[in-house]
């Protein structure tokens, strides 16, 4: 389930322009996410360009488009650069994440235009020391940490910075998502200097994530979310609830910070709302809609 597959290679650079076209249209058409009648295909699809167990690799100045599934992925890699890329797929193409990290550290994702049918940038597993900067994202599902903790797994994500991004017409803005029953943590995360334009869920933390056809069972264990900052985030929300922070009863979110946030409704510019559940922290400067965080 890998199309262009680079394994165990150090010091490789992919550059020089050109287009890598996954031609995923036939794959998308047969998936159960798009095809509502049987027979449909629910199995895996190839990752278009996949690096695994590589060090000191860079991908820059190329176009990746219409992947069968994820467009550019890194698994168990370190010292990664992905910059000056155009990553493109239709808004309704299923699971065509732009850049996806799994168990990868020391990453710089910068100066990219990403327009896909899923997350523009996503990271799962054990990712650390990730810097995402100067990204234009949309359409798509925004910039996501997670999902974490599926099937009671232990996932750890820390030291992530998402800085100076434009999100336009995305279904989410900046998001942390985890399944009930998981273990580990998502901590030391900072989202800053982000402009939202008509984004459906601009700021979202969801420890009750459930992406399956049947309801997920309630479980007490959860991935810990701690030390997360949302700073200098402004723009418009396509939905009434611009901030949604839903945390675990037994493992609440702690040390969250909302600093200089200004999110209004896209239609009419009216007041948006904020919802917090089992979340504590502080607000700094002007926060619109008013912060709902409990004081630490």
């Amino acid at each position: 389930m890998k199309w262009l597959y680079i394994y165990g290679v150090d010091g490789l650079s992919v550059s020089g322009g050109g287009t890598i076209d996954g031609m995923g249209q036939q794959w998308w058409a047969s998936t159960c996410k798009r095809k509502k009648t049987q027979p449909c295909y629910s199995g895996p699809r190839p990752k278009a360009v996949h690096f695994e167990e590589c060090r000191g690799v860079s991908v820059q100045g190329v176009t990746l488009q219409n992947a069968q599934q994820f467009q550019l992925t890194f698994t168990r890699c370190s010292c990664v650069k992905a910059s000056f890329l155009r990553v493109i797929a239709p808004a309704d193409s299923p699971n065509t994440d732009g850049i996806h990290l799994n168990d990868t550290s020391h990453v710089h994702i910068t100066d990219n235009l990403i327009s896909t049918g899923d997350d523009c940038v996503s990271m799962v597993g054990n990712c650390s020391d990730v810097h995402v900067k100067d990204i234009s994202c949309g359409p798509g599902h925004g910039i996501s940490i997670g999902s974490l903790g599926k099937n009671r797994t232990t996932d750890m994500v820390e030291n992530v910075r998402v800085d100076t991004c434009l999100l336009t017409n995305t279904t989410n803005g900046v998001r942390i998502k985890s399944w009930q029953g998981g273990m580990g943590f998502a901590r030391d995360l900072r989202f800053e200097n982000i402009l939202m334009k008509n984004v459906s869920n601009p700021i979202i933390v969801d420890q009750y994530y459930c992406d399956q056809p049947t309801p997920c069972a309630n479980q007490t264990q959860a991935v810990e979310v701690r030390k997360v900052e949302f700073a200098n985030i402004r723009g418009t929300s396509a939905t009434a609830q611009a901030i949604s922070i839903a945390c675990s009863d037994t493992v609440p979110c702690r040390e969250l910070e909302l600093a200089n946030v200004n999110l209004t409704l896209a239609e009419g510019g009216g007041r948006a709302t904020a919802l917090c559940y089992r979340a504590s922290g502080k607000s700094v400067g002007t926060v619109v809609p008013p912060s709902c965080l409990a004081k630490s």
Side-chain angles (χ1 to χ4, degrees):
M1 289 291 105
K2 303 171 184 72
W3 183 42
L4 301 178
Y5 181 36
I6 300 96
Y7 178 86
V9 179
D10 296 347
L12 175 66
S13 174
V14 178
S15 63
T19 298
I20 298 171
D21 191 337
M23 296 181 287
Q25 289 86 345
Q26 282 187 295
W27 288 87
W28 310 333
S30 65
T31 64
C32 297
K33 286 200 172 185
R34 182 182 275 191
K35 186 180 179 185
K36 301 307 179 184
T37 58
Q38 294 294 331
C40 64
Y41 180 67
S42 60
R45 284 168 281 141
K47 300 176 178 71
V49 181
H50 181 63
F51 290 83
E52 187 170 349
E53 296 194 12
C54 297
R55 293 180 299 173
V57 296
S58 71
V59 183
Q60 60 182 11
V62 299
T63 295
L64 301 106
Q65 67 185 33
N66 298 330
Q68 306 93 336
Q69 189 172 255
F70 295 175
Q71 311 238 27
L72 175 61
T73 65
F74 299 90
T75 295
R76 294 187 299 279
C77 295
S78 63
C79 301
V80 169
K81 291 183 179 179
S83 58
F84 301 103
L85 304 175
R86 295 175 72 243
V87 187
I88 303 168
D92 62 348
S93 57
N95 301 112
T96 52
D97 293 48
I99 300 173
H100 179 74
L101 308 176
N102 179 20
D103 196 4
T104 291
S105 62
H106 307 295
V107 181
H108 287 267
I109 298 171
T110 60
D111 298 288
N112 297 313
L113 171 64
I114 305 176
S115 172
T116 71
D118 210 296
D119 295 324
C120 291
V121 178
S122 58
M123 58 198 82
V124 299
N126 301 313
C127 291
S128 62
D129 300 313
V130 178
H131 192 192
V132 179
K133 187 174 183 181
D134 293 323
I135 305 297
S136 176
C137 168
H141 294 182
I143 297 173
S144 292
I145 293 174
S147 62
L148 307 176
K150 187 176 183 179
N151 298 326
R152 297 176 176 269
T153 53
T154 299
D155 287 326
M156 294 168 284
V157 175
E158 63 182 334
N159 192 18
V160 176
R161 299 290 181 271
V162 178
D163 183 9
T164 315
C165 297
L166 168 64
L167 284 81
T168 307
N169 298 326
T170 54
T171 56
N172 300 287
V174 290
R175 176 169 60 156
I176 302 167
K177 52 181 178 174
S178 64
W179 297 73
Q180 294 184 72
M183 293 169 282
F185 55 77
R187 69 188 182 196
D188 192 15
L189 316 174
R190 183 174 177 86
F191 304 90
E192 61 184 335
N193 305 319
I194 296 172
L195 176 61
M196 311 273 189
K197 291 186 177 181
N198 197 45
V199 171
S200 292
N201 301 287
I203 296 174
I204 180 167
V205 178
D206 183 10
Q207 285 186 290
Y208 299 90
Y209 184 71
C210 181
D211 184 19
Q212 62 183 41
T214 57
C216 293
N218 288 329
Q219 300 183 58
T220 56
Q221 188 62 52
V223 176
E224 179 190 40
V225 176
R226 183 167 63 89
K227 293 185 68 176
V228 183
E229 300 175 49
F230 301 95
N232 301 320
I233 296 178
R234 60 190 175 87
T236 57
S237 174
T239 56
Q241 195 166 279
I243 300 173
S244 176
I245 304 175
C247 303
S248 165
D249 285 301
T250 53
V251 189
C253 299
R254 298 182 294 129
E255 298 179 69
L256 307 185
E257 180 176 308
L258 294 167
N260 300 317
V261 174
N262 188 356
L263 294 166
T264 58
L265 292 181
E267 289 194 17
R271 284 178 173 254
T273 61
L275 170 70
C276 297
Y277 181 77
R278 296 289 190 257
S280 64
K282 64 180 180 180
S283 59
V284 177
T286 301
V287 176
V288 179
S291 173
C292 54
L293 293 173
K295 290 186 178 180
S296 299

